[in-house]
Amino acid sequence: MVPQDLPSRPRRNRRSPTVRKAFRETILTPDNFIYPIFVHEGDENIPIGSMPGQDRLSFKNGMIKQVREARAAGVNQVVVFPKTPDNLKTACGKEAFNPNGLAQRSISLLKDTFPDLEVYTDVALDPYNTMGHDGMVRSDGVVMNDETVYYLCQQAVSQARAGADVISPSDMMDGRVGAIRQALDDEGFTNVAIMSYTAKYNSAYYGPFRDALASAPRPGSEDWKIPKDKAEYQMDPANYRECLREAALDEQEGADIMMVKPAGAYLDIIRALRDSTTLPISAYQVSGEYSMLKAAAAAGYLNERDAVLESLIAIKRAGADLTLTYYAIDAAKWIQEGN
Ligand code: PBG
């Protein structure tokens, strides 16, 4: 049967490149990208095996060069993840608030070199404590909430003192956004913003990141039990309603930006937050999402450029205003080249 009298033919609005561009609803721009960088104390950049194309950048020799490249591509926001040397890891993770710690020095150097660069930080104890957990672990294996928040506030203030623009708590302790807001305000940092990891799921997709920082939960012992995963504080991937509860709390507590993490497998959560708040929403295309795309591209199974841009469009279409992505520089260049 040949269709007749079809008054509505959606294909009319897709009939040429000009028309398609005119009706495109979602447009990527590097202005919305946040580039996560790993920094270490050594003299050379060290490639991260599970994240091809990403390095642990040398604080002395690699970090500034890499950020300069990002800026040249139009990416002017970074989030800094320091790799703490093993000998500085302690049970309470106090290196997290050392005023001369690698994180603090990196933040200062970035802001001194590029005053208009927007520098985000990570607040959580996992790269700094011997257990590989975002909070302090008691000997019976309990990840302590309120005691951890006390330290997170010190970490946040030390990052603000170093010059950070946006403090990003990724730890999922209860009440930390309000406590950090108060601690920042008490120290006069009323202009320092908070991007909360509001809906951070207990995801398998963080694996490569934990390799990069050697920050995965450690095996415990008879005397000191250590939970093998983060299910006690990160959200259950099966849950949807719970993200609305977390979002309501973070907004009340003073978050400026709310994040969903991971991004690609959680587009419904991005949409849920977008529709339930007027705050900007960010989404983190995490290490595992990056590594999957890289691996498929390297095997010749996917066209890397097209697959990456599609994944970033999907995240934005779902409602993300900002996207954290290890592909920030490549994607910015691909966008500049046009289609
Ligand atoms: C630290 C933190 C993690 C990530 C960002 N901040 C790891 C974790 O929670 O275990 C993951 C980012 C990524 O996978 O790219 N709390």
Side-chain angles (χ1 to χ4, degrees), residues 126 134 170 200 206 209-210 230 234 261 286-287 326:
D126 52 327
D134 296 34
S170 69
K200 179 173 180 180
Y206 309 149
F209 174 99
R210 293 178 189 169
K230 302 187 176 183
Q234 297 183 347
K261 177 185 175 190
V286 298
S287 55
Y326 301 98

Side-chain angles (χ1 to χ4, degrees), residues 15-280:
R15 69 187 188 284
S16 73
T18 301
V19 166
R20 288 195 291 276
K21 273 195 178 167
F23 298 140
R24 187 157 295 154
E25 298 175 37
T26 308
I27 299 188
L28 289 176
T29 153
D31 292 338
N32 298 136
F33 294 156
I34 302 174
Y35 181 45
I37 56 172
F38 300 104
V39 184
H40 78 124
E41 296 280 10
D43 292 338
E44 309 278 343
N45 293 349
I46 301 177
I48 300 166
S50 53
M51 299 179 72
Q54 301 300 313
D55 291 340
R56 291 179 192 139
L57 302 168
S58 157
F59 169 76
K60 279 181 227 138
N61 299 319
M63 179 181 77
I64 294 296
K65 184 163 169 272
Q66 186 72 5
V67 173
R68 192 165 278 130
E69 188 185 334
R71 284 163 58 90
V75 176
N76 206 24
Q77 308 191 83
V78 297
V79 54
V80 182
F81 293 104
K83 170 151 190 325
T84 310
D86 273 344
N87 64 333
L88 295 178
K89 294 188 181 185
T90 56
C92 79
K94 65 181 174 18
E95 182 64 11
F97 45 91
N98 175 357
N100 289 314
L102 180 58
Q104 289 77 2
R105 276 180 288 127
S106 301
I107 295 162
S108 298
L109 182 61
L110 287 167
K111 288 302 291 185
D112 288 348
T113 315
F114 311 112
D116 65 329
L117 178 75
E118 188 77 353
V119 175
Y120 295 68
T121 69
D122 189 63
V123 167
L125 299 181
D126 52 327
Y128 306 94
N129 71 25
T130 42
M131 285 93 181
H133 274 285
D134 296 34
M136 284 189 296
V137 184
R138 210 166 59 193
S139 57
D140 61 357
V142 170
V143 178
M144 296 186 289
N145 194 88
D146 300 11
E147 295 80 354
T148 297
V149 170
Y150 174 79
Y151 284 111
L152 299 176
C153 289
Q154 300 198 35
Q155 184 181 17
V157 167
S158 81
Q159 294 170 343
R161 278 202 189 106
D165 297 295
V166 186
I167 305 294
S168 322
S170 69
D171 54 281
M172 291 304 277
M173 298 298 123
D174 292 334
R176 90 281 207 208
V177 171
I180 289 171
R181 184 68 272 158
Q182 186 70 54
L184 291 172
D185 291 352
D186 287 349
E187 295 292 322
F189 295 113
T190 51
N191 275 337
V192 172
I194 297 177
M195 174 168 75
S196 176
Y197 286 60
T198 294
K200 179 173 180 180
Y201 285 85
N202 178 31
S203 171
Y205 292 94
Y206 309 149
F209 174 99
R210 293 178 189 169
D211 281 353
L213 294 186
S215 62
R218 302 287 160 83
S221 66
E222 276 293 295
D223 312 333
W224 208 306
K225 302 202 174 19
I226 299 177
K228 63 179 188 338
D229 61 30
K230 302 187 176 183
E232 263 188 64
Y233 46 102
Q234 297 183 347
M235 288 170 58
D236 183 339
N239 290 0
Y240 173 88
R241 291 191 308 268
E242 205 178 350
C243 79
L244 298 174
R245 185 175 186 205
E246 288 284 359
L249 288 168
D250 281 359
E251 189 158 2
Q252 272 167 27
E253 291 177 32
D256 298 283
I257 305 167
M258 294 201 284
M259 191 203 291
V260 175
K261 177 185 175 190
Y266 294 82
L267 299 179
D268 56 330
I269 306 300
I270 297 173
R271 173 49 58 192
L273 291 204
R274 176 63 291 150
D275 289 345
S276 73
T277 177
T278 56
L279 290 178

